[in-house]
PDB file of all heavy atoms in Angstrom:
ATOM      1  N   SER A 126      26.266 -20.383  -6.937  1.00  0.00           N
ATOM      2  CA  SER A 126      26.866 -19.052  -6.796  1.00  0.00           C
ATOM      3  C   SER A 126      26.532 -18.435  -5.444  1.00  0.00           C
ATOM      4  O   SER A 126      27.399 -17.859  -4.775  1.00  0.00           O
ATOM      5  CB  SER A 126      26.383 -18.134  -7.915  1.00  0.00           C
ATOM      6  OG  SER A 126      26.819 -18.598  -9.176  1.00  0.00           O
ATOM      7  N   LEU A 127      25.273 -18.553  -5.024  1.00  0.00           N
ATOM      8  CA  LEU A 127      24.868 -17.975  -3.751  1.00  0.00           C
ATOM      9  C   LEU A 127      25.613 -18.633  -2.584  1.00  0.00           C
ATOM     10  O   LEU A 127      25.971 -17.964  -1.606  1.00  0.00           O
ATOM     11  CB  LEU A 127      23.361 -18.105  -3.556  1.00  0.00           C
ATOM     12  CG  LEU A 127      22.486 -17.268  -4.500  1.00  0.00           C
ATOM     13  CD1 LEU A 127      21.012 -17.512  -4.210  1.00  0.00           C
ATOM     14  CD2 LEU A 127      22.809 -15.785  -4.398  1.00  0.00           C
ATOM     15  N   GLN A 128      25.853 -19.928  -2.678  1.00  0.00           N
ATOM     16  CA  GLN A 128      26.630 -20.616  -1.645  1.00  0.00           C
ATOM     17  C   GLN A 128      28.047 -20.054  -1.574  1.00  0.00           C
ATOM     18  O   GLN A 128      28.604 -19.853  -0.484  1.00  0.00           O
ATOM     19  CB  GLN A 128      26.663 -22.118  -1.919  1.00  0.00           C
ATOM     20  CG  GLN A 128      25.334 -22.812  -1.682  1.00  0.00           C
ATOM     21  CD  GLN A 128      25.336 -24.256  -2.162  1.00  0.00           C
ATOM     22  OE1 GLN A 128      26.369 -24.796  -2.569  1.00  0.00           O
ATOM     23  NE2 GLN A 128      24.169 -24.893  -2.115  1.00  0.00           N
ATOM     24  N   THR A 129      28.622 -19.779  -2.744  1.00  0.00           N
ATOM     25  CA  THR A 129      29.963 -19.187  -2.787  1.00  0.00           C
ATOM     26  C   THR A 129      29.964 -17.797  -2.172  1.00  0.00           C
ATOM     27  O   THR A 129      30.851 -17.445  -1.381  1.00  0.00           O
ATOM     28  CB  THR A 129      30.471 -19.112  -4.239  1.00  0.00           C
ATOM     29  OG1 THR A 129      30.540 -20.428  -4.775  1.00  0.00           O
ATOM     30  CG2 THR A 129      31.849 -18.457  -4.298  1.00  0.00           C
ATOM     31  N   TYR A 130      28.967 -16.984  -2.513  1.00  0.00           N
ATOM     32  CA  TYR A 130      28.892 -15.617  -1.987  1.00  0.00           C
ATOM     33  C   TYR A 130      28.698 -15.631  -0.470  1.00  0.00           C
ATOM     34  O   TYR A 130      29.236 -14.771   0.238  1.00  0.00           O
ATOM     35  CB  TYR A 130      27.755 -14.848  -2.645  1.00  0.00           C
ATOM     36  CG  TYR A 130      27.844 -14.769  -4.152  1.00  0.00           C
ATOM     37  CD1 TYR A 130      26.699 -14.688  -4.944  1.00  0.00           C
ATOM     38  CD2 TYR A 130      29.072 -14.798  -4.809  1.00  0.00           C
ATOM     39  CE1 TYR A 130      26.767 -14.623  -6.322  1.00  0.00           C
ATOM     40  CE2 TYR A 130      29.156 -14.747  -6.190  1.00  0.00           C
ATOM     41  CZ  TYR A 130      27.999 -14.665  -6.941  1.00  0.00           C
ATOM     42  OH  TYR A 130      28.089 -14.607  -8.307  1.00  0.00           O
ATOM     43  N   ALA A 131      27.941 -16.608   0.020  1.00  0.00           N
ATOM     44  CA  ALA A 131      27.746 -16.719   1.470  1.00  0.00           C
ATOM     45  C   ALA A 131      29.053 -17.093   2.163  1.00  0.00           C
ATOM     46  O   ALA A 131      29.411 -16.512   3.191  1.00  0.00           O
ATOM     47  CB  ALA A 131      26.676 -17.756   1.772  1.00  0.00           C
ATOM     48  N   ARG A 132      29.766 -18.044   1.568  1.00  0.00           N
ATOM     49  CA  ARG A 132      31.022 -18.515   2.169  1.00  0.00           C
ATOM     50  C   ARG A 132      32.083 -17.426   2.177  1.00  0.00           C
ATOM     51  O   ARG A 132      32.848 -17.281   3.133  1.00  0.00           O
ATOM     52  CB  ARG A 132      31.516 -19.746   1.410  1.00  0.00           C
ATOM     53  CG  ARG A 132      32.723 -20.421   2.036  1.00  0.00           C
ATOM     54  CD  ARG A 132      33.032 -21.736   1.354  1.00  0.00           C
ATOM     55  NE  ARG A 132      33.334 -21.584  -0.058  1.00  0.00           N
ATOM     56  CZ  ARG A 132      32.523 -21.923  -1.054  1.00  0.00           C
ATOM     57  NH1 ARG A 132      31.335 -22.444  -0.790  1.00  0.00           N
ATOM     58  NH2 ARG A 132      32.866 -21.753  -2.318  1.00  0.00           N
ATOM     59  N   THR A 133      32.127 -16.633   1.115  1.00  0.00           N
ATOM     60  CA  THR A 133      33.134 -15.571   0.996  1.00  0.00           C
ATOM     61  C   THR A 133      32.641 -14.226   1.525  1.00  0.00           C
ATOM     62  O   THR A 133      33.352 -13.219   1.454  1.00  0.00           O
ATOM     63  CB  THR A 133      33.560 -15.404  -0.470  1.00  0.00           C
ATOM     64  OG1 THR A 133      32.400 -15.112  -1.275  1.00  0.00           O
ATOM     65  CG2 THR A 133      34.222 -16.675  -0.989  1.00  0.00           C
ATOM     66  N   LYS A 134      31.389 -14.217   2.026  1.00  0.00           N
ATOM     67  CA  LYS A 134      30.780 -13.029   2.626  1.00  0.00           C
ATOM     68  C   LYS A 134      30.656 -11.863   1.644  1.00  0.00           C
ATOM     69  O   LYS A 134      30.683 -10.702   2.031  1.00  0.00           O
ATOM     70  CB  LYS A 134      31.564 -12.591   3.873  1.00  0.00           C
ATOM     71  CG  LYS A 134      31.556 -13.643   4.971  1.00  0.00           C
ATOM     72  CD  LYS A 134      32.227 -13.168   6.241  1.00  0.00           C
ATOM     73  CE  LYS A 134      32.139 -14.237   7.324  1.00  0.00           C
ATOM     74  NZ  LYS A 134      32.793 -13.816   8.585  1.00  0.00           N
ATOM     75  N   LEU A 135      30.491 -12.189   0.367  1.00  0.00           N
ATOM     76  CA  LEU A 135      30.190 -11.155  -0.626  1.00  0.00           C
ATOM     77  C   LEU A 135      28.747 -10.665  -0.481  1.00  0.00           C
ATOM     78  O   LEU A 135      28.426  -9.543  -0.865  1.00  0.00           O
ATOM     79  CB  LEU A 135      30.414 -11.692  -2.046  1.00  0.00           C
ATOM     80  CG  LEU A 135      31.862 -11.799  -2.515  1.00  0.00           C
ATOM     81  CD1 LEU A 135      31.931 -12.466  -3.875  1.00  0.00           C
ATOM     82  CD2 LEU A 135      32.516 -10.426  -2.573  1.00  0.00           C
ATOM     83  N   MET A 136      27.896 -11.535   0.049  1.00  0.00           N
ATOM     84  CA  MET A 136      26.507 -11.170   0.324  1.00  0.00           C
ATOM     85  C   MET A 136      26.175 -11.586   1.746  1.00  0.00           C
ATOM     86  O   MET A 136      26.690 -12.590   2.248  1.00  0.00           O
ATOM     87  CB  MET A 136      25.546 -11.863  -0.646  1.00  0.00           C
ATOM     88  CG  MET A 136      25.662 -11.440  -2.089  1.00  0.00           C
ATOM     89  SD  MET A 136      24.411 -12.285  -3.090  1.00  0.00           S
ATOM     90  CE  MET A 136      24.912 -11.779  -4.740  1.00  0.00           C
ATOM     91  N   SER A 137      25.279 -10.836   2.385  1.00  0.00           N
ATOM     92  CA  SER A 137      24.833 -11.184   3.725  1.00  0.00           C
ATOM     93  C   SER A 137      23.836 -12.340   3.657  1.00  0.00           C
ATOM     94  O   SER A 137      23.233 -12.620   2.611  1.00  0.00           O
ATOM     95  CB  SER A 137      24.168  -9.983   4.390  1.00  0.00           C
ATOM     96  OG  SER A 137      22.937  -9.675   3.742  1.00  0.00           O
ATOM     97  N   ALA A 138      23.655 -12.989   4.788  1.00  0.00           N
ATOM     98  CA  ALA A 138      22.695 -14.088   4.851  1.00  0.00           C
ATOM     99  C   ALA A 138      21.286 -13.613   4.523  1.00  0.00           C
ATOM    100  O   ALA A 138      20.522 -14.304   3.836  1.00  0.00           O
ATOM    101  CB  ALA A 138      22.726 -14.722   6.239  1.00  0.00           C
TER     102      ALA A 138
END
Side-chain angles (χ1 to χ4, degrees):
S126 296
L127 292 179
Q128 289 171 7
T129 299
Y130 303 150
R132 187 172 60 254
T133 58
K134 298 185 178 180
L135 283 175
M136 294 183 187
S137 68

